[in-house]
Amino acid sequence: MPNFVKVASTSDLKPGENKVVNVNGNEVALFNIDGEFFAITNTCPHRGGPLGEGFLEGEVVTCPWHGWRFNVKTGVSPVMPTAKVPTYKVKVEANDVMVSVE
Ligand code: FES
């Protein structure tokens, strides 16, 4: 059973916004795309930049450090398909956004 942890309220992130949250000590990047929430690791595989502080455009976030890009729904880079970051399960219950990193 995935262990879901509340990380935000639905009103904390507007569509097109993202932020860094903590799930049991793991830094996770949370995104709101058209009212739907998605989560990937916060750690960019290039040099560890904070993807949750990146620039979100459609489904793609750009790392704020050197510009690597990842689709936040799939974790896959649209530029280099071999570059991939872990994605995490998200569920919304009432106004709670919950993430499981298991
Ligand atoms: S650390 Fe993310 S692009 Fe370099």
Side-chain angles (χ1 to χ4, degrees), residues 44-51 63-70:
C44 178
H46 178 222
R47 295 269 182 85
L51 295 174
C63 178
W65 284 8
H66 318 97
W68 282 29
R69 302 168 76 217
F70 299 94

Side-chain angles (χ1 to χ4, degrees), residues 18-55:
N18 45 285
K19 71 171 192 171
V20 181
V21 297
N22 192 296
V23 182
N24 296 336
N26 300 284
E27 284 199 339
V28 169
L30 183 70
F31 302 87
N32 180 336
I33 298 176
D34 297 331
E36 212 177 334
F37 290 84
F38 298 89
I40 61 175
T41 181
N42 188 50
T43 308
C44 178
H46 178 222
R47 295 269 182 85
L51 295 174
E53 295 173 19
F55 175 66

